[in-house]
Amino acid sequence: MPHLELSRLDKNFGTSRAVSDFDLVVERGSFVSLLGPSGCGKTTTLRMVAGFLAPSGGRILLNGGDITRTPVWARNFGFVFQNYALFPHMTAAENVAFGLKVRRIGRAERDQRVARALDMVGLANFAVRWPAQLSGGQQQRVALARALVIEPELLLLDEPLSNLDATLRAEMRDEIGTLQKRLGITTIFVTHDQEEALSLSDLVVVMNQGRLVEAAAPEALSEQPQRLFTAHFLGARSVLGGRADGGAFTTTGGLRVALPPDVPAQPSHLVLRAARLALLPEHATTEAALLASVTVAETTYLGDTRRCTVRFNADRIDVLLPSAQPRPEPGATMTLFAPPEAIAFLHEPASTTSREN
């Protein structure tokens, strides 16, 4: 039996539909990320699960029981807000203890559980600090401890890392993943950051315009996206339309690639993974799934890598190269090299291509 099941969930705000016909099965102990752009409905979905918003339609099942109309306090879910939502007039320990006080947990047990929770997130020595005396990362840890101290049935995280700088964000991401695995707690995590979703999750749910576009394990989603929106949103990929004919796929710009035997009939798009492509000298010859003469359009320095955009007639293709390599000069003619692992094909029905592209 699934731990959590969302069945045909809808949410309307007046005449605007924020979430539409949303189905999702969450297994016990799994880490599930809702991934998508701002305004796609992922936070609205999370808030319906939490009980902060009442669905306009559909059902929410927990361990097979219907909790669609169950009030927030009776669900026993831990929720971490994007802005932490700490009480400024309470110490770290008092913030963590708040949910236990509401549940009328005795003082002795409450103190023990608060101490354990703060220790769990590495803040055992910060119990008497006020939120204003804590860094952003420390405040996030207090918010996480507050969510975990009640021993929740589910842990719900709404963009919890978005207010942190890049270094601290990566550190907290790893800590959340380690803690979730150690506790084995079923977790739903909202993010617009593909790296967060891919690195943390057992299942990544891609959303757009209030709908579930595609759901899969991180590696499957990244290696072989099944929908056009997913391929575009995951980034660092060039998605080229075209048509299949005679055992090959030809893009609108004329780039031609042989179709492997396991590709679904009549793919609509070629996907080229930027980090797995290479640029070789002009007229280079070698064995490859794709070898084409291209013109360098522009290059952008990104630190450890350099994004190089090349042209093949009307097709524009991004290539990620180590920045230690010599910089390809705009206007230069080079050979685009693509091994089989750099290439994927997808079939997008005509009815959804225009809506999601």
Side-chain angles (χ1 to χ4, degrees):
M1 178 187 298
H3 195 180
L4 178 74
E5 185 175 0
L6 311 183
S7 177
R8 304 195 66 179
L9 210 57
D10 291 328
K11 182 59 184 178
N12 303 326
F13 294 102
T15 59
S16 175
R17 175 159 285 192
V19 176
S20 181
D21 203 27
F22 190 90
D23 290 321
L24 179 64
V25 171
V26 178
E27 299 298 337
R28 184 174 297 279
S30 64
F31 195 115
V32 176
S33 287
L34 305 183
L35 174 67
S38 297
C40 73
K42 54 189 185 293
T43 290
T44 299
T45 302
L46 193 74
R47 287 178 171 268
M48 285 191 286
V49 173
F52 297 137
L53 291 175
S56 304
R59 296 196 305 160
I60 302 172
L61 305 176
L62 183 70
N63 298 318
D66 193 330
I67 63 164
T68 310
R69 304 300 168 187
T70 301
V72 175
W73 59 266
R75 298 190 187 199
N76 195 42
F77 294 167
F79 199 100
V80 178
F81 297 88
Q82 181 177 352
N83 62 356
Y84 319 140
L86 299 180
F87 298 111
H89 61 287
M90 295 183 182
T91 65
E94 289 168 343
N95 266 281
V96 175
F98 180 77
L100 298 177
K101 291 183 71 174
V102 170
R103 289 163 174 78
R104 300 186 182 280
I105 303 298
R107 178 63 179 269
E109 181 183 350
R110 190 168 71 232
D111 289 348
Q112 289 178 357
R113 288 170 64 171
V114 168
R116 283 200 305 269
L118 286 172
D119 184 60
M120 189 185 303
V121 297
L123 292 180
N125 297 325
F126 293 80
V128 297
R129 299 276 184 95
W130 306 101
Q133 296 175 312
L134 300 172
S135 68
Q138 289 167 342
Q139 290 183 48
Q140 185 60 281
R141 288 180 172 90
V142 172
L144 185 58
R146 183 176 60 184
L148 293 171
V149 76
I150 62 172
E151 299 175 357
E153 182 83 15
L154 294 177
L155 178 62
L156 309 176
L157 305 166
D158 184 14
E159 299 264 17
L161 308 179
S162 61
N163 293 329
L164 304 178
D165 61 59
T167 301
L168 188 55
R169 186 173 185 141
E171 180 183 322
M172 281 299 301
R173 179 192 69 201
D174 293 343
E175 288 187 17
I176 287 173
T178 300
L179 194 58
Q180 188 271 339
K181 287 180 173 62
R182 178 154 63 87
L183 298 175
I185 186 171
T186 306
T187 300
I188 303 179
F189 180 88
V190 161
T191 183
H192 63 271
D193 187 298
Q194 59 165 307
E195 186 174 304
E196 288 177 3
L198 294 174
S199 63
L200 287 169
S201 308
D202 300 301
L203 180 73
V204 178
V205 178
V206 179
M207 295 183 65
N208 187 40
Q209 298 180 348
R211 294 182 178 272
L212 188 155
V213 176
E214 185 173 354
E219 189 168 338
L221 195 73
S222 184
E223 297 290 337
Q224 295 289 334
Q226 299 299 304
R227 300 296 297 274
L228 184 60
F229 178 83
T230 304
H232 277 295
F233 187 76
L234 288 180
R237 290 159 175 75
S238 299
V239 184
L240 307 175
R243 62 185 180 85
D245 183 37
F249 183 88
T250 305
T251 69
T252 53
L255 193 64
R256 190 170 175 85
V257 185
L259 286 172
D262 59 344
V263 170
Q266 300 300 312
S268 61
H269 291 80
L270 166 69
V271 182
L272 296 175
R273 192 88 171 264
R276 296 178 180 176
L277 301 173
L279 291 177
L280 306 178
E282 186 179 8
H283 305 308
T285 58
T286 185
E287 289 294 321
L290 169 63
L291 209 62
S293 179
V294 296
T295 302
V296 176
E298 58 187 13
T299 61
T300 304
Y301 179 75
L302 301 175
D304 289 335
T305 60
R306 195 187 307 274
R307 184 178 66 243
C308 183
T309 302
V310 300
R311 292 196 311 267
F312 184 91
N313 297 328
D315 293 331
R316 290 174 65 87
I317 302 162
D318 285 338
V319 184
L320 280 178
L321 303 173
S323 56
Q325 290 184 4
R327 175 179 178 266
E329 293 298 326
T333 301
M334 302 190 76
T335 300
L336 177 68
F337 170 86
E341 59 269 21
I343 297 173
F345 296 91
L346 60 85
H347 173 75
E348 185 76 5
S351 61
T352 60
T353 298
S354 60
R355 175 166 57 83
E356 294 183 356
N357 194 2

